[in-house]
Amino acid sequence: MEAKALEQRLRERPGDEATWGAYGGRLRDQGDARGELIRLEHRHAHARPADRDDLRRRIDLLVEEHQEQWDAELPPGVTVVTRRHGFAVKVAVEWSDQAPALIGQAIRGRLVTGVRVRPGAEAEDADADYYSDEPDFDENDMPLPPPPHDARALADLDLGGLTELDLAYFRIGDPGAEALAAATSDGRIETLDLRYCGVGDAGVAALCASPAFREVRRLHLQSNRLTAEGVRALAGGFERLEELDLRYARIGPDGARALVEAPFAGSLKRLFLYGHDVEDTGVRILANAPQLPSALRSFWRSV
């Protein structure tokens, strides 16, 4: 099998050891040291305890010699978050006017399937200025969050080939979520991390309606501005969820009802919520919902 075909298979099945072995052979034929790294790491994973220290030293020396060269394949301004066998598989980009183009270049890398978008320096400066003043308060006498960062250019992203998109702590708000929903994608994203992004019900509804996110299994929405209406939108759009984080979203009993009535209720393996997010009535709804797997129900009974 040609190297390109092997790379495509590894994008789709990154844990396939047989394909990694075949790809490592191709790389060794090309004189790429990552081929030897794949061989050594495979041997280390299956070695006797007495042999592991020597193999680890050989691996560390090989990585020390070549890692800088390997990372130089990425565009300037793109950093590595996660590596596998010397290859960048998840990268990070700081948000700026150039970020969409940089992200497009980065995900054309051989095995990059995950992107972390960080708020840029201008956004952090704006936050510092906001917090240096007295915050505004809403009708419930709660401090209002800073206004969202300008992330309309998220609509210009081409997310084709990605399985993970991480925007945690980048406060895009509903306008940014609506722009993200318009991004170009082949719909392969399985993990979407929007913790502390300032997204509300309208933003979630836009993402739910987007074909870019139809395959999402793991959705992290901790500390956003969702209500029960947002949970109802989730129930109508994300049908394949296995992991859902709604901590610090005051969804109340109505949100708990929407969760147990959602088409993904039976497939959930992990659900993150606090009792005060759904109130006592919501805890009872979740604890006694036959739609939820028994492990989740037993968790709610212990709250």
Side-chain angles (χ1 to χ4, degrees), residues 28 35-45 55 58-59 62:
R28 289 193 295 276
E36 178 64 8
L37 180 62
I38 291 169
R39 188 180 72 84
L40 288 173
E41 292 188 330
H42 178 80
R43 285 182 59 192
H44 181 269
L55 285 167
R58 294 169 64 185
I59 289 167
L62 188 63

Side-chain angles (χ1 to χ4, degrees), residues 68-86:
E68 185 175 349
Q69 171 194 344
W70 296 334
D71 289 352
E73 295 177 358
L74 295 169
V78 177
T79 57
V80 181
V81 177
T82 307
R83 298 181 178 90
R84 188 163 192 158
H85 299 313

Side-chain angles (χ1 to χ4, degrees), residues 1-16 19-20 23 87 107-113 160-163 186 188:
M1 188 179 292
E2 295 297 322
K4 289 292 185 185
L6 290 169
E7 288 166 3
Q8 182 57 37
R9 179 173 289 186
L10 288 172
R11 282 176 165 272
E12 296 169 357
R13 288 178 281 182
D16 187 335
T19 302
W20 275 111
Y23 187 50
F87 288 94
I107 62 181
R108 286 193 290 273
R110 288 197 234 188
L111 296 174
V112 175
T113 56
L162 284 188
T163 59
D186 54 7
R188 291 185 57 222

